[in-house]
Amino acid sequence: MHLDFVKEFGVSPRQSQRSRKSDFVYFGLKERIIIGDLKPGQTIGEQQIAVDYGCAQGTVREALIRLDNNGLVIRNDYRGTQVSPLCRNEALQMVLIRKQLEKAAARLVASKLPDEVYRNLKLIMNAMYCTAQDGRIYLCSEFDRRFHGLLFAQSGLKGLEPILNRCAIHMHRFTLSGRTEKVNADDVFQRHSHILECYRTGTPEEAAEAISEHIDFLIKTWILNGTEEAV
């Protein structure tokens, strides 16, 4: 089921039918940065990337601009492009910002989820479960960001969506960098199922509490007691 969802919604351009070449480069480099294959401070050469992906340097440049907008790289006219730094304190601050954003959105969304959105969120949850079971941790994280992003989008807080996305990306970068162990697929499914049902039928405060508890769990598990700090 998760592969059908990928093809329809384009979570990964390696399986999507609607992707441009720059999407392919962007998603490929983003994955390498988030999982730690490309290290903080490492230079990304446009010419070499163009050769690796079989595309023009302009295509690579377009992908790098998108990565810069996400805070994953730092572009400098004289020094080229480097992978941005990564540290525990920054990840923690971003997750705290994310918590405030999602709580505010939860209060607006509670008991107002359209049926079609609810069905799509269920599809994403199933995709998260399947990819977690398969040990495809990075793709599971893509679905996780899609799940939370789609919920947030229902709040109408459009100007804050890029901030939420950036916070989620950097949290996953911190927690997934160098990670090899699998995640518990049942736990992933149950936690997100609880959030979804609170958003669908709960009061504004119940929905806000559900997302708050979820993020507090992530902070405790992955930020405060998780991966060693990298700089």
Side-chain angles (χ1 to χ4, degrees), residues 99 103 191 194-195 198 205-221:
K99 179 179 176 179
K103 285 178 65 179
R191 288 184 178 279
H194 174 65
I195 292 169
C198 285
E205 287 309 312
E206 286 172 340
E209 181 63 21
I211 196 63
S212 180
E213 289 178 352
H214 177 68
I215 296 177
D216 284 344
F217 169 80
L218 300 177
I219 292 172
K220 181 179 179 181
T221 304

Side-chain angles (χ1 to χ4, degrees), residues 17 19 25 67 74 96 121 174:
Q17 301 299 313
S19 301
V25 179
L67 292 169
I74 299 172
L96 292 174
L121 287 163
F174 183 83

